[in-house]
Each structure stands twice: as structure tokens, then as C-alpha cells.
Amino acid sequence: MQTWKQFEETVAQSIRDNSVIFLRRAANEIANHDDRGDKAFDHETGTIVTVLTQMSLELAVASFLVKHDGLESILVKPERFTDDQIREKWLDNELRTKTFEEYRQLLEAKHLGIYSVFEDINQQFQQSRNKIMHLHFRFEEGDLYDLKFESTFMLIHIITQFIFEDDYNHSDNIASLLSPDLFKKLVRFPPYQYYVKKLAEDYSRVVLRCPICECVAFSDVQRKCFACTYEDPALRLLDCPKCSERSVTYDHLNLDINKKLAGKCLKCGSMHEVFKCTSCDCPTVGVAPYLHCAFCAEDAQEQKA
């Protein structure tokens, strides 16, 4: 028989798997929306996307709490049952769990960092979902429009954080849940692209085109894409001779063993050669055989004069 810890891990994984099912269905509904003319969701799509997204979130949070705080943290009056009784009720689909509001309170008390990430944007989702499930919810036109980017943001930035808890490989993790085509449609959904570009502007000097998903949502300061969540703190950027922005990326790990490498500007898209300056050894952009960075070339000109 499984130990109690192993049993809790099984339960957490099962709940997580259900969350992924709802996440995929929500992603499909969003990606299949015809956004020509920048149209809002219709009432049916808005209803389905809201419920699927909220259900995915609730299950992802429940799985997270079981993993970190134990199965009893999500159960109604667990003290009334022995461990064996809880196992039996799980197998018979008879366990009663707390409300999402109680989950939220537990997150706020014990996991404030991850709770604060979704506190504001989830409030509207929760209210809408409750009315849809228990009575009726009449969306305003503006709600159905905002839902296009809010639901996408929830799926990519919030729900998957509870599922994976891995910032470093987050974009790869999300891509592993969805087909390549669906993931591409999701991050390139026009309302979402507009939203994440505006978000990236708050954390950037210049917003660049992501080297992975090609959305204009990559922060030159944080070295992070606010669309697909790709992140590379070690990414190096050089000045672009064409657009004058510090925006040329290259494979800096292999520059030492190559005379030159191809570099691409993430702002204007132009291609360049990247090499190491023969005088100061720093990486620079230019054309061989003029293998000096701008500073060393300027010094050389002054010395000649």
C-alpha cells in the first residue's frame, strides 16, 4: 500500500491532470475565435471560456495546496476521518472539498508570493463563474472584449504557475501542455499581443521581438517575454548599427571559439556579424576585416591624427 505521502502525491497529480484538461479546452476556445475586425467574444464563447478557465484555476490551486500543505488542507472537516477513511472516500469520489474562496484565503496566509500574482485579475473571473454556474450572467460588451486577453493571460501566466512552479523553463512547460500550433495561436492572439506589449512597456527601456515566439513583448531590461514567458537572464545584447538600439542578440557562449557569429536585431530585424574586438576583446557588431569595436576604432583614429 502507498504511504500517506505517496497517496497525497497521487491525489495532487490527479487534480493537476484535470486542471490541464480544462486548460486545453479553454485554450482551444480562445484560439478558435475569429478575431477579424477585433470582435468581442459572443455570449456563448465568453461563458464557456470563463467557466473552463476558472475550473482549470481552481483545480491547479487545489493541486498546489495538496502538494505543499497536504490533502487535509483542502478537505471539509478532515478531522472527522481517519487516513484510511479518507483513502476510501477518495476512491469512491465522496471527498468534500473547501470552496475556492477558502483556497484563496489559505494561499493569502501561507503562499502570499504566488497569491499576489493573480489576486486582482481573478476576482472578476470568480464572480462571473459563480453567477454562470448558479444563476445567469449577462456579459457587458466590454467584458466580452476584455475577456479575450484576460483569459489568455490567466492560462499562460497564472494557472500554469500553479501547475509547474518553474519560472526558468516556464515557456517550455506551457508548450508541453499544448500542441505547437495551439500554443502559437494562443500567444499570437491579437488582443493578447496588444495587452502583453503594453505590460512589457512597464518593465522595459525598449520592447523587443521575442527570439522564441516572435511577439513584440520582450523586455530588454528583464530579458523576459511577456507573451510566451521565455526568459534568459544571461542573454547579451549589442548596439544595432541600423536602428541604433541595444537590441542585437547572438550566441555569446560560442563566440570565443568562432571568428564571427550571426547576430539578429530584435528591434528592426536586421542581420549582422558579431565578433570580438581585436584590441579590447569585447563583443561587437561590424564587418570584417574591421575587427575593432567603436571605442577602439575611435581611439585608433585619434592616434593617427
Side-chain angles (χ1 to χ4, degrees), residues 265-285:
C265 178
L266 301 180
K267 180 65 176 178
C268 68
S270 58
M271 299 299 296
H272 302 278
E273 289 183 350
V274 178
F275 51 83
K276 298 191 78 169
C277 175
T278 55
S279 297
C280 69
D281 213 34
C282 70
T284 190
V285 177

Side-chain angles (χ1 to χ4, degrees), residues 94-277:
E94 294 179 353
L95 280 180
R96 292 182 58 207
T97 56
K98 295 176 180 177
T99 64
F100 184 72
E101 176 60 24
E102 290 172 302
Y103 292 170
R104 187 195 63 76
Q105 291 173 2
L106 184 56
L107 285 174
E108 186 178 10
K110 300 189 67 175
H111 307 280
L112 185 57
I114 194 166
Y115 166 74
S116 61
V117 171
F118 81 102
E119 179 181 7
D120 292 335
I121 196 169
N122 178 66
Q123 185 175 0
Q124 180 63 42
F125 259 89
Q126 179 66 10
Q127 292 173 352
S128 301
R129 181 263 180 193
N130 286 343
K131 291 178 180 178
I132 290 169
M133 295 298 290
H134 300 295
L135 185 63
H136 168 73
F137 186 75
R138 182 179 62 82
F139 289 98
E140 299 292 342
E141 184 71 15
D143 296 334
L144 288 168
Y145 184 86
D146 292 347
L147 187 59
K148 293 193 298 181
F149 59 79
E150 290 176 347
S151 56
T152 311
F153 188 87
M154 287 275 290
L155 295 179
I156 293 177
H157 290 266
I158 296 175
I159 297 173
T160 49
Q161 284 286 352
F162 285 102
I163 291 175
F164 291 111
E165 304 175 58
D166 185 353
D167 288 331
Y168 184 74
N169 292 317
H170 195 56
S171 59
D172 290 337
N173 289 335
I174 300 169
S176 72
L177 298 179
L178 309 171
S179 69
D181 184 57
L182 178 56
F183 182 58
K184 184 183 296 185
K185 283 184 178 179
L186 208 59
V187 298
R188 293 184 181 179
F189 189 44
Y192 176 70
Q193 283 203 23
Y194 175 81
Y195 183 72
V196 292
K197 181 182 178 182
K198 301 295 283 186
L199 187 63
E201 288 173 350
D202 293 335
Y203 297 92
S204 311
R205 184 186 62 85
V206 178
V207 180
L208 305 176
R209 189 173 297 276
C210 175
I212 302 302
C213 72
E214 299 187 345
C215 294
V216 182
F218 191 85
S219 167
D220 67 331
V221 175
Q222 293 200 343
R223 303 295 202 268
K224 172 183 178 179
C225 177
F226 284 80
C228 72
T229 75
Y230 168 72
E231 189 170 3
D232 184 1
L235 184 101
R236 309 282 180 84
L237 293 172
L238 300 175
D239 292 336
C240 175
K242 187 173 182 179
C243 69
S244 301
E245 293 289 357
R246 194 165 187 80
S247 50
V248 175
T249 183
Y250 64 101
D251 184 4
H252 67 276
L253 295 176
N254 286 313
L255 187 58
D256 285 338
I257 59 176
N258 292 273
K259 290 185 178 180
K260 61 182 179 181
L261 289 173
K264 182 177 182 179
C265 178
L266 301 180
K267 180 65 176 178
C268 68
S270 58
M271 299 299 296
H272 302 278
E273 289 183 350
V274 178
F275 51 83
K276 298 191 78 169
C277 175

